[in-house]
């Protein structure tokens, strides 16, 4: 506005004020960590502000829940995430509250920073917001332009909101960490443990799109879904000793572990030795170590653990890796192409209205989800 008064012209895109100079918006927040009762609806959450030239403000049409939202609600990862939020410790106290959860967003760009040239207001986009930022269970959310991508044209906002976080998590594990891609998967035998959840259903479809042979592990009541997504073999982990069932199959080139726990003790024995075969797990102690031991000791313990396990298994002829969610607009661009070509589809377990967020958390907390729990922030998606 100051520029307009001085020059008589409208300000450049990215400097204009938000419509009607809004200062508050509806949002679901928590003011402390705990179970479901800590969720609170407010109409007075601070409206997001563009602080950096590469940021955009998105009007949220739909969001979705992930297991990390349950964990963050209870305080998981608070030490590491607060360090990321305030690395110089310029603030005192619990600076994260009130905290908005939710990582996935599908919506419409409302406002752009000066450095954003790829998007403009009115564009339909999707994104996965990193966990150290305010989340998507709000009317509006701010994101870096490099975290955002154009929404697949073939999907509604409700459908699109089911994919970004799980898609980027699987993409990180399979491509960025595991080294798999469209040109090297043909004929490879891939085992996916925990195949019926959000990450698992995406991973099955991505591996089939890249022409791998997929063995999926899930419960019997999810087998029809997983077969429909393209899995070549489906193993019911409840029908007997899983380790023994898998040992009857030919060895694998790649294992994606969404389960963790005792699985790691025997799963690597299912890999082909001395062939470049790789085990990647998404269940790591990184954030837990920092919560328990503090930042410095937690990072040291984490480094020792992953280093020792990597060397131990390398000496046995297989590669051992950890993978994490990584926000990436360019990766979402590639995923959007796969979606629009019909090779990947969203798998939605249940859809809730914005007023039913606590109910959606309870649904997710019950476990055994078949795909994603989606929240329509704007009705009739």
């Amino acid at each position: 506005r100051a520029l307009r008064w001085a020059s008589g012209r409208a300000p450049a895109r990215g400097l204009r004020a938000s419509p009607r100079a809004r200062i508050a918006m509806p949002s679901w927040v928590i003011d402390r960590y705990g179970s479901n009762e800590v969720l609170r609806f407010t109409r007075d959450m601070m409206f997001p502000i563009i602080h950096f030239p590469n940021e955009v403000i998105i009007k949220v049409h739909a969001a979705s829940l992930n297991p990390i939202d349950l964990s963050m609600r209870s305080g998981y990862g608070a030490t590491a995430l607060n360090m990321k939020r305030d690395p110089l410790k310029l603030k005192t106290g619990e600076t994260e509250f009130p905290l908005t959860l939710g990582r996935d967003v599908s919506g419409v760009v409302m406002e752009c920073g000066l450095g954003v040239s790829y998007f403009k207001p009115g564009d339909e986009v999707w994104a996965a917001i990193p966990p150290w930022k305010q989340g998507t269970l709000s009317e509006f959310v701010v994101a870096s332009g490099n975290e955002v991508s154009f929404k697949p044209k073939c999907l509604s906002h409700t459908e699109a909101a089911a994919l970004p976080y799980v898609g980027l998590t699987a993409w990180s594990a399979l491509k960025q960490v595991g080294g798999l891609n469209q040109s090297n998967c043909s004929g490879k035998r891939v085992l996916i443990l925990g195949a019926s959840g959000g990450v698992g259903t995406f991973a099955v479809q991505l591996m089939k799109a890249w022409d791998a042979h997929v063995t999926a592990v899930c419960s019997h009541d999810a087998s029809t879904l997983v077969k429909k997504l393209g899995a070549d073999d489906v193993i019911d982990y409840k029908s007997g000793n899983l380790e023994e069932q898998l040992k009857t199959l030919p060895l694998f080139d790649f294992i994606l572990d969404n389960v963790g726990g005792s699985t790691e003790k025997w799963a690597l024995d299912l890999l082909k030795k001395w062939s470049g075969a790789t085990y990647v797990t998404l269940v790591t102690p990184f954030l837990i170590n920092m919560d328990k031991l503090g930042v410095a000791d937690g990072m040291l313990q984490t480094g020792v653990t992953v280093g020792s396990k990597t060397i131990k298994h390398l000496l046995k002829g297989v590669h051992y890796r950890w993978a994490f969610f990584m926000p990436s607009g360019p990766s979402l661009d590639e995923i959007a192409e796969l979606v629009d070509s019909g090779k990947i589809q969203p798998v939605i377990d249940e859809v809730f209205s914005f007023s039913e967020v606590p109910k959606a958390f309870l649904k997710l907390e019950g476990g055994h989800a078949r795909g994603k729990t989606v929240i329509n922030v704007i009705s009739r998606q």
Side-chain angles (χ1 to χ4, degrees):
R1 283 181 295 188
L3 287 178
R4 180 174 59 198
W5 294 336
S7 64
R9 299 191 301 272
R13 181 163 67 87
L15 291 181
R16 61 185 177 280
S18 300
R20 299 183 296 281
R22 295 186 57 173
I23 60 172
M25 63 177 178
S27 180
W28 283 94
V29 302
I30 61 173
D31 302 300
R32 67 187 192 281
Y33 296 120
S35 52
N36 220 42
E37 73 275 1
V38 302
L39 291 167
R40 174 175 67 88
F41 178 75
T42 178
R43 294 189 178 278
D44 298 318
M45 184 64 177
M46 183 180 297
F47 195 87
I49 297 171
I50 289 177
H51 291 285
F52 301 100
N54 69 329
E55 290 182 331
V56 299
I57 295 176
I58 301 171
K59 183 174 179 61
V60 181
H61 283 233
S64 69
L65 299 183
N66 296 279
I68 191 174
D69 293 303
L70 285 177
S71 299
M72 287 180 63
R73 187 197 65 187
S74 301
Y76 168 77
T79 300
L81 296 177
N82 281 339
M83 182 186 68
K84 182 67 175 179
R85 293 176 183 123
D86 187 20
L88 299 179
K89 297 187 181 299
L90 299 177
K91 301 177 182 179
T92 59
E94 296 175 318
T95 59
E96 70 266 39
F97 299 122
L99 178 64
T100 303
L101 302 175
R103 309 271 54 95
D104 295 293
V105 57
S106 182
V108 175
V109 174
M110 189 197 75
E111 192 171 347
C112 299
L114 279 175
V116 177
S117 59
Y118 196 57
F119 303 103
K120 65 182 185 302
D123 285 339
E124 293 192 329
V125 296
W126 64 344
I129 309 300
W132 53 87
K133 295 185 178 181
Q134 289 288 13
T136 60
L137 296 178
S138 286
E139 186 180 13
F140 296 91
V141 68
V142 66
S144 298
N146 57 12
E147 297 165 356
V148 180
S149 170
F150 291 106
K151 178 182 75 68
K153 296 180 176 62
C154 68
L155 298 184
S156 67
H157 287 295
T158 301
E159 294 168 329
L163 283 174
Y165 189 85
V166 295
L168 288 173
T169 302
W171 193 266
S172 167
L174 297 169
K175 185 175 183 180
Q176 308 295 351
V177 175
L180 301 179
N181 57 59
Q182 187 174 4
S183 63
N184 69 6
C185 279
S186 181
K188 274 196 167 79
R189 289 182 52 79
V190 175
L191 172 64
I192 299 176
L193 301 166
S196 62
V199 173
T201 53
F202 184 94
V204 169
Q205 294 181 86
L206 181 61
M207 289 294 90
K208 291 311 299 178
W210 288 349
D211 201 28
H213 180 285
V214 175
T215 299
V217 175
C218 60
S219 62
H220 176 73
D221 60 346
S223 61
T224 300
L225 166 65
V226 175
K227 286 178 181 177
K228 183 180 178 182
L229 296 176
D232 299 283
D233 298 316
V234 178
I235 306 297
D236 176 11
Y237 69 87
K238 294 182 178 180
S239 65
N241 185 291
L242 178 58
E243 179 182 357
E244 295 304 320
Q245 291 185 75
L246 292 171
K247 281 183 176 179
T248 65
L249 302 176
L251 294 175
F252 296 95
D253 299 286
F254 190 95
I255 296 175
L256 175 62
D257 186 358
N258 299 298
V259 178
S262 62
T263 305
E264 187 177 304
K265 296 178 180 178
W266 51 262
L268 284 95
D269 293 331
L270 304 173
L271 291 168
K272 298 176 182 176
K273 305 297 188 292
W274 308 108
S275 65
T278 303
Y279 166 93
V280 176
T281 179
L282 290 164
V283 185
T284 76
F286 176 63
L287 294 180
I288 293 176
N289 283 345
M290 295 184 73
D291 286 339
K292 289 183 177 179
L293 304 174
V295 174
D297 288 344
M299 292 182 69
L300 177 61
Q301 180 62 53
T302 298
V304 170
T305 300
V306 69
S308 62
K309 288 187 176 183
T310 299
I311 294 172
K312 170 187 172 183
H313 292 295
L314 189 60
L315 293 174
K316 295 180 180 180
V318 296
H319 297 283
Y320 175 93
R321 301 282 186 271
W322 287 357
F324 306 90
F325 158 78
M326 291 190 287
S328 172
S331 294
L332 281 176
D333 290 342
E334 295 186 65
I335 293 171
E337 291 180 10
L338 290 166
V339 173
D340 280 329
S341 67
K343 294 180 179 179
I344 290 179
Q345 59 183 302
V347 180
I348 297 175
D349 189 55
E350 192 168 351
V351 179
F352 294 86
S353 69
F354 195 45
S355 64
E356 297 178 309
V357 165
K359 185 178 177 182
F361 268 86
L362 288 176
K363 166 69 177 179
L364 185 63
E365 202 166 11
H368 304 292
R370 303 294 175 254
K372 292 297 295 295
T373 300
V374 177
I375 311 292
N376 274 337
V377 178
I378 295 178
S379 60
R380 295 186 298 276
Q381 292 299 303

